[in-house]
Amino acid sequence: MKLKKGFDIKLVGEAAESIAKNIDTPTTFAIKPEDFPGMIRPKAVVKVGEKVKAGDPILIDGKLEEVKYTSPVSGEIVEIQRGERRKLLAVVVKADAQVEYKEFPVKPIDQVSKEEAQAILLESGVWPQLVRRPYAIVANPSDTPRALFVSAFDSHPLAPNYEFTLKGQESFIQAGIDVLKKFAPKVYLGLSGSKSSALFDGLAGVEKNKFSGPHPAGNVGVQIHHTAPVTSANDVVWTISPEGLAQVGKLFKEGKYDAKRIIAVAGPKVDKPEYVETYAGVNLETISAAKIKGDNVRVVSGNVLTGYAVGKNGFLGYYSNMVTALEEGNKARFFLSDGWLAPITSRLSFHKAFGLLGSTSKKYALDTNTNGQDRPFAVTGSFEKVVPMDIYPMYLLKAILAYDYENMEALGIYEVAEEDLALCEFIDVSKHDIQKIVRQGLDTMRLD
């Protein structure tokens, strides 16, 4: 499937395929409720000073208590962070020097029943890797999905290469597929149409579809749309990342919740961009000290389109497979010499706002400046050029803001998640927080 709509943001600072060796071992890790859209009443189930193993529950959703959110490492609970009105922000674990794992039963996957598999996934903390569409929230154990979708490539800016980060884990990925086929009768695997994959091409029990084109060709939502689209609120499918598949497979083959992951540390403000081997929820202090140059820097958990700022001492998000560092765009620009009227070649513009001097093929060292302030929506027709789905993004966003339930349904609210319209936010001349609007619409339809 050749997708023509979209836009590739080419940044300097792509991670070299090597593992960093000069980084001190991080000591603290955290699970944060904000990483899980749809979590309504998060509750800590541990106390400060309590000892835990990797795979021990430390957090639950008060509305869906059977889903456990477990510690990525073994160690001691050193902090339960709370915000206004005692809102739970994070549960922080100080890691042991050697990780100890809670043990889960192991037996041949073909001898594991669906009920047994579900119980192990829920108890171990691996279940949150399963994301439900529509709504893009953690899957409900009571749902019966018609299919499972996996995107085997990531087209976000500076995204890590799965062929490197998951090399040698083919057997775990296959085991993950075998387990999850007990829940979903069909598994769709989205492959890159531009190159072959030693990691994914040999997988069995899946329907393989190839996608080529600019970002967001690698988004699982786009692949669902072009393969077997979601048609209503009750048309449930699940998605999972390749890292999640490997984690499921390792759980059933080795009997442990292994939150280890290889993440890319990339971006214009990274000194020698490369990969780092760590665990989910890692505190970024030691990584920042070794890799990030300068003080006027925004450190992002995730990629520049869908990630969020955490600071040099923040924690990596549960679903994040990379850390990106950009210069803060907090410097004033005079419009004649460094602004929209100047002949500039150093900044990327989808709209060619800086004349014909810029290029969409070169790599840029962009900063976080939005180059403008919030204003009413300007109907330019540009959103439709970067969303390779049969929807009208501008009208959908307006329906969300107007709480127009009927038109939200008609315009495709059940097909999208925040990441599917993230490019609209990047090119929006009106500077709206479009991903926040999309989440508002999804929560409105889910809760009302």
Side-chain angles (χ1 to χ4, degrees):
M1 302 181 191
K2 296 181 179 180
L3 308 179
K4 296 182 179 180
K5 294 182 179 180
F7 188 62
D8 286 327
I9 302 172
K10 293 182 168 60
L11 299 179
V12 300
E14 182 178 359
E17 292 188 357
S18 59
I19 303 293
K21 303 296 184 183
N22 60 336
I23 298 176
D24 293 336
T25 303
T27 58
T28 56
F29 299 79
I31 291 289
K32 301 173 293 182
E34 67 173 337
D35 288 338
F36 308 100
M39 185 179 281
I40 296 177
R41 292 193 297 272
K43 297 191 297 185
V45 294
V46 289
K47 297 179 180 179
V48 173
E50 190 172 333
K51 300 288 286 186
V52 293
K53 293 181 179 180
D56 277 337
I58 60 175
L59 180 68
I60 62 170
D61 182 351
K63 187 111 180 181
L64 206 63
E65 294 190 358
E66 60 266 45
V67 180
K68 305 295 193 300
Y69 298 82
T70 61
S71 178
V73 294
S74 61
E76 180 183 350
I77 304 297
V78 292
E79 186 179 6
I80 297 177
Q81 296 179 357
R82 296 188 181 274
E84 294 183 1
R85 299 184 179 180
R86 293 188 56 77
K87 178 182 178 180
L88 183 61
L89 302 179
V91 179
V92 183
V93 183
K94 184 178 180 181
D96 294 332
Q98 187 73 30
V99 176
E100 294 184 40
Y101 295 92
K102 180 178 179 179
E103 295 182 359
F104 297 93
V106 175
K107 64 180 181 179
I109 291 174
D110 59 359
Q111 297 179 20
V112 178
S113 68
K114 175 184 174 181
E115 292 72 24
E116 289 175 315
Q118 179 169 294
I120 294 171
L121 288 168
L122 289 169
E123 185 65 26
S124 65
V126 177
W127 185 273
Q129 292 284 356
L130 293 165
V131 176
R132 178 197 200 272
R133 294 287 186 108
Y135 309 129
I137 58 175
V138 172
N140 190 319
S142 64
D143 285 339
T144 302
R146 64 168 167 84
L148 176 75
F149 289 83
V150 185
S151 175
F153 68 105
D154 192 337
S155 58
H156 285 97
L158 303 177
N161 180 6
Y162 292 138
E163 302 293 319
F164 178 76
T165 61
L166 295 173
K167 185 177 181 179
Q169 299 196 44
E170 294 88 345
S171 64
F172 294 131
I173 294 172
Q174 182 65 65
I177 290 171
D178 295 340
V179 170
L180 295 178
K181 286 194 73 174
K182 299 177 186 296
F183 301 88
K186 194 157 191 176
V187 178
Y188 293 92
L189 182 67
L191 297 166
S192 172
S194 61
K195 54 186 176 181
S196 60
S197 169
L199 187 67
F200 299 104
D201 284 348
L203 294 178
V206 298
E207 179 181 305
K208 298 170 185 173
N209 297 287
K210 292 192 173 183
F211 297 85
S212 60
H215 182 70
N219 280 11
V220 70
V222 171
Q223 296 174 11
I224 294 171
H225 176 85
H226 288 279
T227 306
V230 174
T231 58
S232 70
N234 297 319
D235 184 17
V236 177
V237 300
W238 289 352
T239 71
I240 191 170
S241 68
E243 296 103 331
L245 270 182
Q247 198 173 72
V248 171
K250 189 166 289 189
L251 173 65
F252 282 84
K253 293 191 75 172
E254 297 185 350
K256 65 181 182 181
Y257 167 52
D258 189 353
K260 186 180 294 182
R261 62 181 58 175
I262 296 175
I263 63 171
V265 181
K269 298 300 289 183
V270 174
D271 183 23
K272 192 182 177 184
E274 55 186 339
Y275 290 82
V276 173
E277 187 172 11
T278 185
Y279 293 84
V282 62
N283 186 286
L284 300 176
E285 182 178 7
T286 59
I287 295 175
S288 298
K291 285 293 177 186
I292 296 175
K293 51 190 178 185
D295 296 321
N296 192 39
V297 177
R298 182 175 299 183
V299 179
V300 177
S301 174
N303 63 76
V304 294
L305 281 176
T306 64
Y308 56 94
V310 293
K312 291 184 177 181
N313 299 326
F315 295 95
L316 184 73
Y318 181 84
Y319 297 106
S320 296
N321 58 11
M322 67 181 302
V323 175
T324 314
L326 301 164
E327 183 175 358
E328 283 286 3
N330 51 11
K331 298 177 182 177
R333 290 174 175 154
F334 184 53
F335 74 104
L336 288 175
S337 61
D338 193 32
W340 62 277
L341 276 182
I344 299 169
T345 61
S346 61
R347 293 206 296 276
L348 175 65
S349 173
F350 174 82
H351 303 281
K352 299 191 183 302
F354 308 116
L356 300 177
L357 299 176
S359 168
T360 57
S361 60
K362 67 179 280 189
K363 293 183 178 181
Y364 293 84
L366 302 182
D367 60 25
T368 63
N369 198 316
T370 59
N371 301 303
Q373 297 177 327
D374 292 350
R375 63 201 78 169
F377 266 123
V379 182
T380 63
S382 297
F383 288 179
E384 287 74 17
K385 296 178 181 178
V386 296
V387 180
M389 303 169 76
D390 189 20
I391 63 173
Y392 295 99
M394 176 65 75
Y395 294 103
L396 173 58
L397 294 168
K398 289 187 173 184
I400 293 171
L401 293 172
Y403 291 92
D404 187 339
Y405 297 85
E406 185 175 337
N407 272 324
M408 276 193 271
E409 285 192 333
L411 291 165
I413 187 66
Y414 296 130
E415 290 208 61
V416 299
E418 295 95 318
E419 66 175 7
D420 299 319
L421 269 63
L423 271 174
C424 297
E425 186 170 308
F426 177 75
I427 70 169
D428 183 20
V429 297
S430 302
K431 317 302 177 185
H432 288 287
D433 191 344
I434 285 173
Q435 293 179 80
K436 183 177 180 180
I437 296 173
V438 173
R439 175 46 58 186
Q440 173 188 321
L442 293 171
D443 289 344
T444 297
M445 299 301 289
R446 180 171 59 89
L447 299 174
D448 287 1

